[in-house]
């Protein structure tokens, strides 16, 4: 341990020797990263052990957050902030001739997630540790994270993300805590002496699940929780290859490869369900391993298994870990020897479930045949869960249509959301409007059947990463103004409202925004050679590329904006820089065409000398947590323009708000609550409301051609997709054109266009009154406390999990 700069420098030099075998003069920047990170590791190791011991000794209830994704990003800087070591390290490194920022850049981004759901899981871990709550993550150690995106000739190209190439300093392999996971084979049933049936699986394929633990470090306390990621390995690692005859040798190698495939890649789809066998394997693999290790630890305490729900909560992040329901049943029935009723009671008092999407194409439905072949015993249990559940439904309604509507197994498919709802004691949505839609529409019959299960937990983000780390200048200014109490209690940010109209304070906020815009502009110019006007409005849309998120609406509006400028080069407009970033699922054609459209637009406009610095369009490659940390603080305007009812919550909207950007958005997801928090004057809302959208879907009455024929601006920009406007190639964006018009514009892009354009006019006039603008900006920061994930996690802890803080001495 070190407590001052001199001690730090000694310890650091020592680490370079022991970890890298190098003296100070030979050490490169990566050596410095390894040296610094392993020093931090040493510093927290005592607390990690102490935390586990305290949890064991005190025996309070703990929660396990099961998620197929954890989008962690870089960790070292957060660890330095949380442990309070940052200043000492920064200065110490400086005196040794190194720059902390450069050292931090050496860390690979742990990109083990697609987007919202995975990043939420990471924010939740951070908040649990900060609030001293006994809560841990359980997931998969993917060899390859989400693909790296490059833009080549305007197109997205995917490259593998080999994030583990140089090793990962934060993971600890725990070989002694491995468990066995079984796939396939057949189930045998025999009657025991006591008359009970016993089930055993035979001729199965066995796999070893080895945990890799990553410490999750609390802010300003001694808590170090654990994120446990499972790796799949062959059961007999050290089989002697030479002892196999030729056939067996091949078999052995094939077995090894098949096992290693399980954890090889993160599936890059975040809204289209595809019934892939390997994905089902991944799901069962980590769920089974996670539950086995929880039960093993629980049983060491020698208390009745019936007490499980009072000591353990298992939360499933969407339906990907929903096999937790039948797997916990299996362990209780087959391994613990409980009867069905007792096992069911324990299971349904232990598991809770969050839904993250209402998009029908995202709902997981596994083919029965595949499910039964891969997981024969689990399938039997699901059948029995369903048989009993359908009986209840029948007894209540005596209506076959109701039974069909709610059956977990239907038309040769296993409906995972239904399994999750039936097997959980709590079901929540992630923003008020989303929870309302679940209750009223998507899960209406389940809500009517068991209304007590349903609740809302509006998402949040960790203000430690998204403000303290990403924008230390703003964080310092806030602390000077209202004292640093907001860091422990983010709701105190509301005290900033006292300064919203203070011109001196406004100037300071504006100055910081300019600094952050400047850093981003430098990055863009350095990487893409595009010159950026710092006096322009930085208008940013960063998220996965998806039709419902409507990047196309943004692009069409920019085309219209460009047209107006071309018509009248002296048009009195405030200059704009439109920035996009986001990945498309590799097989998602429309999303990839959208990326191409934006990149074509960028090339055309940025290369147009007549436009000069009035308009720029930038598509940044490879959106990631780290890139987000550069972008959110630099935004003036936050684009949150999904078709109302489609975005469950959104969390980027919160990151922008916390950094003082003003939202232009629809009344969708958490935008609704952002508006309620900041008030109508501090947000720009446009477009159809959710109920209108849902009514159109149900009753019809919308015709995209009507808009096309009546709105000249809409018609012109659509025509430009197919008239050679971009490159002379006429039909270049025919498929986008057809997609919008022939599908009757399923996400109401045309319908919302004119209102969106009007919203941008309102936005511009607000921006032009700079005093008013900075007042709005400050109001957004001041009201962002509600969207800290500390608030969200406190609500989960009290309202769902019933867990309390455990203070680590
Ligand atoms: C089976 C394919 C698949 C994979 C991932 C379907 C659906 C998903 C996720 C549930 C998609 C997702 O990330 N949803 C987002 O969750 C965020 C956190 O709650 C919300 O803020 C976003 O609105 C929601 O789209």
């Amino acid at each position: 341990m070190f407590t001052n700069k001199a001690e730090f420098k000694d310890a650091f030099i020592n680490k370079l020797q022991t970890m890298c075998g190098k003296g100070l003069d030979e050490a490169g920047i990566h050596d410095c990263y390894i040296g610094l990170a392993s020093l931090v590791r040493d510093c927290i190791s005592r607390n990690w052990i102490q935390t586990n011991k305290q949890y064991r000794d005190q025996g309070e209830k703990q929660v396990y957050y099961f998620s197929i994704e954890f989008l962690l990003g870089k960790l070292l800087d957060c660890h330095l902030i949380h442990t309070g070591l940052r200043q000492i390290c920064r200065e110490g490194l400086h005196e040794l001739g190194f720059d902390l920022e450069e050292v931090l850049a050496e860390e690979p981004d742990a990109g083990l997630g697609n987007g919202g759901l995975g990043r939420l899981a990471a924010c939740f871990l951070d908040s649990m540790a900060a609030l001293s709550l006994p809560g841990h993550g359980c997931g998969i150690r993917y060899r390859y994270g989400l693909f790296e995106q490059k833009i080549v000739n305007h197109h997205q190209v995917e490259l593998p993300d080999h994030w583990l190439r140089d090793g990962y300093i934060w993971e600890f392999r725990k070989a002694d805590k491995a468990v066995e996971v079984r796939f396939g084979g057949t189930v045998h049933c025999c009657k025991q002496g006591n008359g009970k049936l016993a089930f055993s699986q035979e001729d199965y394929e066995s796999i070893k699940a080895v945990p890799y633990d990553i410490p999750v470090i609390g802010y300003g306390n001694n808590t170090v929780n654990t994120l446990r990621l499972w790796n799949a390995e062959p059961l007999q690692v050290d089989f002697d290859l030479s002892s196999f005859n030729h056939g067996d040798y091949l078999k052995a190698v094939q077995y090894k490869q098949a096992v290693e495939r399980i954890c090889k890649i993160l599936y890059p789809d975040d809204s289209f369900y595809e019934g892939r066998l390997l994905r089902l394997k991944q799901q069962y693999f980590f769920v089974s391993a996670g539950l086995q290790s929880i039960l093993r630890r629980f049983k060491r305490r020698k208390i009745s298994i019936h007490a499980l729900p009072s000591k353990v909560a298992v939360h499933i992040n969407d339906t990907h870990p929903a096999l937790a329901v039948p797997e916990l049943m299996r362990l209780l029935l087959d391994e613990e020897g409980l009867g069905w009723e007792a096992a069911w009671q324990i299971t349904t008092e232990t598991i809770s479930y969050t839904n993250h999407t209402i998009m029908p194409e995202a709902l997981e439905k596994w083919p029965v045949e595949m499910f039964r072949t891969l997981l024969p015993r689990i399938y039997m249990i699901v059948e029995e869960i369903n048989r009993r559940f359908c009986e209840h439904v029948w007894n209540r309604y005596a209506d076959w249509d109701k039974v069909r509507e709610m059956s977990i197994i239907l038309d040769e498919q296993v409906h995972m959301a239904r399994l999750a709802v039936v097997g959980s004691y709590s079901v929540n949505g992630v923003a008020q409007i989303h929870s309302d839609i679940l209750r009223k529409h998507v899960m209406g019959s389940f809500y009517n059947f068991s209304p007590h299960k349903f609740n809302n937990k509006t998402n949040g983000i960790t203000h430690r990463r998204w403000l303290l780390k990403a924008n230390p200048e703003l964080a310092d200014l806030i602390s000077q103004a209202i004292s640093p109490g907001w860091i422990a209690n983010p709701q105190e940010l509301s005290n900033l409202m006292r300064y919203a109209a203070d011109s001196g304070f406004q100037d300071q906020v504006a100055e910081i925004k300019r600094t952050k815009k400047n850093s981003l502009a430098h990055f863009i110019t350095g990487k893409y050679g595009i010159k950026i006007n710092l006096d322009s409005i930085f208008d940013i849309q960063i998220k996965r590329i998806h039709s419902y998120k409507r990047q196309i609406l943004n692009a069409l509006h920019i085309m219209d904006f460009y047209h107006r400028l071309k018509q009248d080069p002296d048009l009195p407009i405030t200059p704009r820089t439109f920035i996009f970033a986001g990945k498309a699922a590799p097989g998602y054609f429309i999303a990839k065409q959208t990326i191409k459209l934006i990149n074509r637009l960028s090339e055309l406009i940025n290369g147009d000398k007549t436009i000069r610095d009035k308009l720029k369009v930038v598509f940044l490659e490879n959106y990631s947590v780290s890139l987000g940390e550069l972008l959110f603080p630099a935004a003036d305007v936050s684009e949150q323009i999904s078709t109302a009812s489609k975005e469950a919550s959104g969390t980027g909207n919160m990151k922008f708000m916390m950094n003082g950007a003003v939202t232009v958005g629809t009344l969708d997801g958490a935008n609704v609550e952002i508006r309620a928090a900041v008030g109508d004057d501090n947000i720009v809302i446009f477009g159809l409301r959710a109920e209108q959208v849902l009514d159109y879907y149900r009753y019809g009455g919308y015709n995209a051609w009507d808009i096309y024929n009546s709105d000249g601006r809409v018609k012109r920009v659509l025509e430009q997709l197919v008239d050679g406007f971009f490159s002379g190639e006429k039909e270049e964006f025919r498929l986008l054109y057809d997609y919008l018009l022939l599908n009757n514009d399923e996400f109401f892009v045309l319908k919302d266009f004119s209102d969106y354009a009007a919203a941008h006019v309102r936005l511009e006039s607000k921006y032009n009154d700079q005093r008013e603008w900075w007042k709005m900006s400050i109001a957004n920061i001041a009201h962002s406390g509600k969207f800290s994930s500390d608030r969200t996690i406190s609500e989960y802890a009290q309202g769902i999990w019933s867990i309390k803080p455990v203070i680590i001495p």
Side-chain angles (χ1 to χ4, degrees), residues 69 114-118 120 269-274 279 283 317-318 320 354-357 361-364 430 459 548-549 646-651:
E69 303 186 357
N114 273 283
L117 165 130
L120 186 76
D269 295 86
D270 84 328
S271 41
F272 288 103
Y273 159 75
E274 273 184 287
R279 171 84 168 183
Q283 296 186 351
N317 198 23
D318 215 274
H320 322 130
T354 300
N355 171 286
H356 294 267
T357 183
E361 62 269 33
L363 295 181
E364 293 192 294
V430 290
N459 281 166
Y548 85 81
K549 296 178 188 280
K646 294 292 180 185
E647 189 69 272
S649 158
T651 44

Side-chain angles (χ1 to χ4, degrees), residues 105 162 243 326 333 335 373 424 466 500 607 632 651 707 754:
H162 198 175
S243 76
L333 295 168
E335 309 286 326
T373 310
S424 306
W466 297 109
F632 290 111
T651 44
I707 311 265
S754 66

